Amino acid sequence: MFCKKCGKEIFDDAVVCPHCGTMTGSGNVIFGGAEEKQGNGIAIAGFICSFFVPLLGWVFGGIGLSRANKRNGKGKNFSIAALAIASVMFIIYLAGV
Ligand SMILES: [Zn+2]
């Protein structure tokens, strides 16, 4: 599509014209999508870390959970799993020491 203000060609799903910064009013596909992926990524990172480093699992799981709550719950299951596994692993580590 073309920007309604400056007339330059921009991505069809762009939220803001990269040339002049005008809002296109076409939704929030680019920004929303990127943030959803980020929220998912950190939740999955927490899920993986929780097996090896419970502390990181808690940190990433907590961040992932707060992000998931803001983004339609994406990555929420991974975040909760990360927190749960991190807690279990922490207890196992404590019991093993
Ligand atoms: Zn423009």
Side-chain angles (χ1 to χ4, degrees):
M1 68 177 174
F2 295 91
C3 174
K4 58 194 172 190
K5 189 179 177 191
C6 68
K8 285 179 179 165
E9 189 168 11
I10 51 179
F11 291 115
D12 284 347
D13 52 0
V15 180
V16 177
C17 171
H19 304 288
C20 68
T22 299
M23 296 291 288
T24 61
S26 71
N28 58 352
V29 177
I30 284 183
F31 289 157
E35 285 181 359
E36 269 172 28
K37 271 181 195 166
Q38 205 178 20
N40 252 338
I42 200 143
I44 292 166
F47 179 73
I48 294 164
C49 285
S50 63
F51 287 100
F52 309 103
V53 189
L55 203 62
L56 280 180
W58 273 327
V59 172
F60 288 150
I63 295 169
L65 191 61
S66 71
R67 284 188 179 176
N69 285 333
K70 292 175 195 161
R71 320 224 191 293
N72 306 324
K74 277 208 168 187
K76 195 171 185 177
N77 291 339
F78 273 114
S79 303
I80 292 169
L83 291 171
I85 292 164
S87 300
V88 170
M89 293 308 283
F90 188 68
I91 291 165
I92 290 170
Y93 283 138
L94 276 186
V97 169

